[in-house]
Amino acid sequence: MTSLQAAHADGVCLRYPDSLGIYPQVTQENAAAMLIRAISLAQSTPFGWGYIDKPPDGSLFLVFQTPQLQCPPDGIVYQDREQKYYLPCGNNKELEVCEVKLGFVPGVDQFAYRVRRRFRMYKGGHPQLMLIHYSRGQSTTIVPSLNSPARNYPLRPVNEPAIFVLGERQGQKVYPNGVAPPLAASADRGIVQFNMPPNVGAGAGMGGMGGMGAGPLPGNPAAMLAHQNSNMEVLERRAQRERGMSMFLAFRSRLRRSWRWAADEAENISTRTLALTRYRRNHEYMNEVFMHARLTIPVFAGDKKASASPPYSIFKLSDLEENWCAKTAAEVEELKNKAAARKQAADAARDQLRDVPMGGLAISDPVP
């Protein structure tokens, strides 16, 4: 048995690498929207191997189901049986919900109160993408016979590289340093199979999901939905940046090839042909510039007797005398009146200063 097969027995699964945050509740509308948008995200982000073990309340995980492991164990013992039901989501989509209650962590919890819900798109999406959410429910006493560890500890370490689960690079491994180990060390090569069940819908999504930090407080569905949408948009923009960078690199490579082709073609054209082409092109430009002038200006139109009018022909002497001269004279008269008024005020102030007696002031007197 290989190391990955042994880890499968312990409950290792393919998980989305980033944290999806803490959410007290996840509605069916939120789960359906996140699963649809997770399709495009899974095409550009490799999933990593890891465990789900004793998750805190509000934890949310995005898991890719493999044929080897349909539902990964989580270190929680459930006293209730799992219930499965289907909910319509519109546009011929159907959401599958698996819910189990009365869970507890042996040796840690005093009561059985944990609730686990698993969401996946049964129709209209990718059925191997699964959301797992943990929350609190009604508590009850723990059955003593069930109070034993749910899995063997310590868990086996997993050193397998991340892997693309969807898209054109499906099944491609992503090594940390970009270098694959020797073939002899890759005994688990090909252990993962990505088989699509027969009930796969034609769903497609745009955007990402996830986010950092805790979600909003319970009891406010609108705030919860806004917080989840903002977290989705963060990873969506990151995925778009990665796709944009790959498109830019491909475009730059094609551009460089086109430049090389253009240089090769220029070497095969003679100097006389290039000069003739430039001569014709420049005269076409000049013809477009002077075409309008030849049709509107008499000198360019062929009327040799016509002459350009002087620059001051737009003014009339009568208009200047009636408007501009009268206006200028009024402004000058107004300025003279203001100057005379200021001079009169200054003279009056000087006369008042002369009439003030200066003998009544002494050096010792305080100045008010």
Side-chain angles (χ1 to χ4, degrees), residues 41 50 71 160-161 176 244 254:
L41 183 64
C71 179
E160 285 294 315
R254 292 195 300 268

Side-chain angles (χ1 to χ4, degrees), residues 125-351:
H126 199 292
Q128 290 183 265
L129 290 175
M130 179 174 60
L131 277 177
I132 304 178
H133 180 252
Y134 295 87
S135 60
R136 298 180 65 93
Q138 295 181 354
S139 61
T140 185
T141 57
I142 298 176
V143 178
S145 61
L146 298 178
N147 198 358
S148 59
R151 65 202 320 177
N152 297 325
Y153 293 95
L155 299 176
R156 302 173 186 267
V158 181
N159 298 322
E160 285 294 315
I163 189 171
F164 285 96
V165 297
L166 295 180
E168 298 179 354
R169 293 179 288 180
Q170 178 177 337
Q172 178 181 347
K173 295 183 178 181
V174 179
Y175 295 92
N177 299 326
V179 180
L183 293 178
S186 301
D188 299 326
R189 184 180 302 273
I191 192 66
V192 182
Q193 300 176 5
F194 303 105
N195 299 325
M196 293 288 291
N199 56 356
V200 175
M206 292 299 294
M209 60 183 302
M212 303 300 177
L217 296 177
N220 192 350
M224 185 182 304
L225 179 59
H227 181 71
Q228 291 174 352
N229 289 337
S230 63
N231 290 340
M232 293 179 187
E233 292 175 358
V234 170
L235 292 179
E236 180 180 0
R237 288 193 295 268
R238 185 174 65 182
Q240 289 177 353
R241 287 196 298 268
E242 294 176 356
R243 291 194 297 269
M245 180 58 66
S246 61
M247 294 176 61
F248 170 74
L249 295 177
F251 172 75
R252 187 175 63 178
S253 177
R254 292 195 300 268
L255 187 61
R256 288 178 177 176
R257 290 196 298 267
S258 64
W259 286 346
R260 290 195 296 268
W261 295 337
D264 296 340
E265 292 178 357
E267 293 177 356
N268 298 328
I269 300 176
S270 63
T271 305
R272 183 177 181 279
T273 304
L274 288 175
L276 183 60
T277 304
R278 292 171 182 169
Y279 177 83
R280 292 176 178 174
R281 182 189 60 189
N282 294 338
H283 276 71
E284 289 176 357
Y285 291 160
M286 294 172 62
N287 185 36
E288 293 179 1
V289 172
F290 290 103
M291 181 183 299
H292 180 71
R294 184 173 66 252
L295 298 177
T296 56
I297 302 177
V299 174
F300 292 98
D303 189 359
K304 298 182 180 180
K305 297 181 179 180
S307 59
S309 57
Y312 52 83
S313 61
I314 60 175
F315 299 102
K316 294 182 179 180
L317 182 59
S318 58
D319 295 339
L320 292 175
E321 291 178 351
E322 293 178 1
N323 299 328
W324 296 97
C325 294
K327 184 177 179 181
T328 304
E331 292 177 354
V332 171
E333 187 66 24
E334 183 179 0
L335 292 174
K336 289 181 179 180
N337 295 335
K338 290 182 179 180
R342 285 196 297 270
K343 183 178 180 182
Q344 184 178 0
D347 294 341
R350 283 195 295 269
D351 294 341

